[in-house]
């Protein structure tokens, strides 16, 4: 029936490891960029309905800043790096000295997303030996539902569920908020088999 | 997809490229809302079709349900919102990237086919919308992050 019925716990562990390696490298990049200690949580891999996915990050109405990249190549999919507005403003201030979403702020945030997503994906590419070609990142400050919907279009053609690899980053000296900085990797349905195969695990 | 009668209202949150289409009979105070994600059911790659997601299947099913709840075929009107292009891309995969405008066009085509007039719309642009419809007044309120609440 559906592709995620074929996933066992080994597959889920591999997806977790992908989140771990990708976000770990992104955390290092962020730490170097801001000269601060950045921590990350244990990656969470879940099979969720589209509605549940919106709830994971505070509900469809909740406003966030999000960088979006489309990945093409041996494996395709969508990637989001989402920040709460407070965290986005804090990053903008640390990078530019201004605390607003002006032209400079938006540009800085886009570049931040570019660097983080780039380090996530290049570590994934190294780890799997897959060719991955990310698109130029696009930034949007809007409702979560409207943003995530975009990454769900391809998935919605095969069902109403998504496999989400979710990893959160946060500054070490801050209270961990539910939405400090989240990476969401949403592989396309056809991409799971080649992804697992690249790591020597077959999907039946 | 859902149908309500007054005094209840019906809403959907965080519409991006999706289109929220409301079909209602004002005198009978009944309204239905569908959240259309893709323009055509031929996009589906799955054997189990979720008819609520595709413009060609959702609009017709919505109209049937509104009629079943007391709406009169000839009195039905429609309002729609959504169909934004959330991210601007210049590269690959243009079909999927233009999904918002295509959803809008597909919904309109279905409404035309079923002879249901569109009395108001707020579509396109690049921002998300949360919409709420009141079947008693026929007012569709649309909330966006930058422009606050607007009523059509």
């Amino acid at each position: 029936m559906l592709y995620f019925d074929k996933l066992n716990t080994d597959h889920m562990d591999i997806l977790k490891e992908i989140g771990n390696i990708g976000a770990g490298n992104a955390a290092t990049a962020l730490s170097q960029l801001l000269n601060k200690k950045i921590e990350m949580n244990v990656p969470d891999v879940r099979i969720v309905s589209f509605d549940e996915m919106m709830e994971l990050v505070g509900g469809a109405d909740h406003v966030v800043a999000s960088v979006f990249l489309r990945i093409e190549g041996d494996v395709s999919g969508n990637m989001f790096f989402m920040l709460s507005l407070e965290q986005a403003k804090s990053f903008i201030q640390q990078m530019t000295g201004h605390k607003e979403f002006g032209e400079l702020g938006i540009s800085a945030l886009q570049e931040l997303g570019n660097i983080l997503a780039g380090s996530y994906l290049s570590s994934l590419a190294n780890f799997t030996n897959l060719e991955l070609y990310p698109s130029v990142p696009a930034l949007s400050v809007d409702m979560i539902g409207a943003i995530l919907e975009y990454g769900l279009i391809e998935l919605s053609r095969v069902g109403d569920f998504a496999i989400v690899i979710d990893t959160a980053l946060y500054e070490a000296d801050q209270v961990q908020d539910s939405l400090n900085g989240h990476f969401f990797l949403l592989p396309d349905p056809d991409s799971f088999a080649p992804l697992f195969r690249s790591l020597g695990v077959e999907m039946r | 997809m859902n149908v309500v009668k007054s005094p209840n209202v019906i809403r959907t949150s965080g519409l991006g490229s999706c289109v929220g289409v409301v079909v209602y009979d004002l005198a009978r105070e009944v309204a239905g809302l569908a959240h259309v994600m893709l323009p055509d059911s031929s996009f589906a790659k799955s054997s189990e079709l979720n008819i609520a997601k595709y413009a060609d299947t959702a609009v017709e099913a919505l109209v049937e349900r509104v009629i079943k709840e007391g709406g009169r075929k000839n009195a039905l009107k429609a309002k729609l919102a959504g169909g934004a292009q959330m991210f601007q891309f210049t590269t690959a995969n243009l079909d999927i990237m233009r999904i918002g405008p295509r959803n809008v066009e597909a919904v309109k085509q279905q409404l035309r086919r079923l002879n249901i007039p569109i009395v108001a719309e707020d579509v396109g642009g690049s921002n998300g919308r949360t919409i709420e419809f009141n079947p008693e007044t026929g007012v569709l309120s649309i909330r966006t992050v930058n422009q606050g609440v607007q009523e059509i």
Side-chain angles (χ1 to χ4, degrees):
Chain A
M1 194 188 82
L2 288 161
Y3 61 97
F4 48 73
D5 287 349
K6 300 174 191 159
L7 298 181
N8 58 31
T9 51
D10 285 348
H11 294 127
M12 298 302 259
D13 284 345
I14 288 175
L15 295 177
K16 260 184 208 163
E17 192 51 25
I18 285 170
N20 216 353
I21 290 173
N25 276 276
T28 307
L30 183 60
S31 172
Q32 285 167 354
L33 188 71
L34 300 177
N35 202 16
K36 278 201 166 165
K37 197 172 171 194
I38 302 292
E39 299 194 1
M40 61 181 274
N41 67 355
V42 177
D44 193 8
V45 176
R46 292 196 219 189
I47 299 171
V48 291
S49 72
F50 293 169
D51 286 342
E52 286 167 342
M53 183 165 172
M54 309 292 175
E55 292 308 320
L56 278 182
V57 274
D61 264 16
H62 195 73
V63 179
V64 292
S66 176
V67 175
F68 169 68
L69 295 105
R70 172 82 193 151
I71 305 156
E72 300 285 350
D74 295 336
V75 163
S76 60
N78 297 312
M79 171 171 253
F80 294 90
F81 179 60
M82 285 199 180
L83 293 167
S84 65
L85 294 186
E86 298 70 41
Q87 187 66 63
K89 282 179 187 161
S90 157
F91 282 152
I92 289 173
Q93 186 170 33
Q94 291 176 55
M95 287 185 290
T96 68
H98 301 280
K99 208 179 174 167
E100 293 309 318
F101 283 108
E103 202 175 319
L104 183 64
I106 293 284
S107 169
L109 213 51
Q110 199 158 354
E111 190 50 29
L112 177 75
N114 199 7
I115 292 169
L116 299 189
S119 57
Y120 189 123
L121 289 174
S122 61
S123 67
L124 175 58
N126 284 336
F127 170 58
T128 56
N129 270 323
L130 292 168
E131 301 276 348
L132 302 174
Y133 308 109
S135 71
V136 176
L139 181 88
S140 177
V141 179
D142 214 313
M143 302 172 191
I144 282 176
I147 288 171
L148 277 182
E149 210 173 63
Y150 215 70
L152 299 177
I153 293 169
E154 198 58 40
L155 290 167
S156 76
R157 296 171 67 176
V158 286
D160 298 321
F161 287 85
I163 295 178
V164 190
I165 306 171
D166 175 13
T167 326
L169 302 182
Y170 51 97
E171 290 179 46
D173 54 349
Q174 285 191 348
V175 187
Q176 191 180 357
D177 187 282
S178 61
L179 198 81
N180 286 354
H182 277 257
F183 278 105
F184 284 114
L185 181 62
L186 296 165
D188 287 346
D190 296 341
S191 290
F192 285 96
L195 187 59
F196 292 130
R197 198 173 307 125
S198 72
L199 297 166
V201 177
E202 285 300 322
M203 213 172 135
R204 292 172 209 291
Chain B
M1 187 188 301
N2 221 336
V3 177
V4 295
K5 288 180 180 170
S6 66
N8 297 315
V9 295
I10 193 165
R11 77 194 300 260
T12 188
S13 301
L15 285 170
S17 57
C18 292
V19 173
V21 51
V22 178
V23 170
Y24 64 103
D25 180 339
L26 190 58
R28 294 280 164 93
E29 300 186 3
V30 56
L33 171 71
H35 187 136
V36 171
M37 221 170 163
L38 289 164
D40 196 281
S41 53
S42 65
F43 274 77
K45 289 179 182 168
S46 162
S47 49
E48 293 163 49
L49 191 69
N50 178 352
I51 60 162
K53 271 194 323 203
Y54 306 96
D56 62 330
T57 49
V59 175
E60 194 168 325
L62 178 67
V63 169
E64 273 170 27
R65 283 193 56 182
V66 172
I67 291 173
K68 207 171 145 198
E69 293 294 324
R72 295 156 302 165
K73 176 86 178 73
N74 294 328
L76 295 181
K77 291 190 165 50
K79 290 190 179 184
L80 42 128
Q85 194 167 352
M86 297 302 297
F87 296 98
Q88 309 295 328
F89 280 104
T90 46
T91 48
N93 225 334
L94 283 174
D95 264 11
I96 286 291
M97 294 311 166
R98 276 198 69 256
I99 204 81
R102 291 173 66 199
N103 280 336
V104 172
E105 196 38 57
V107 167
K108 285 184 176 175
Q109 195 186 334
Q110 291 302 318
L111 290 168
R112 263 200 305 276
R113 187 173 67 78
L114 297 164
N115 285 319
I116 297 172
I118 300 167
V119 291
E121 63 177 57
D122 176 29
V123 296
S126 60
N127 52 283
R129 297 169 171 92
T130 284
I131 63 170
E132 186 172 284
F133 186 81
N134 185 337
E136 192 183 343
T137 58
V139 170
L140 181 67
S141 353
I142 300 156
R143 191 169 63 77
T144 57
V145 171
N146 293 319
Q147 287 137 36
V149 179
Q150 186 199 340
E151 294 189 337
I152 61 171

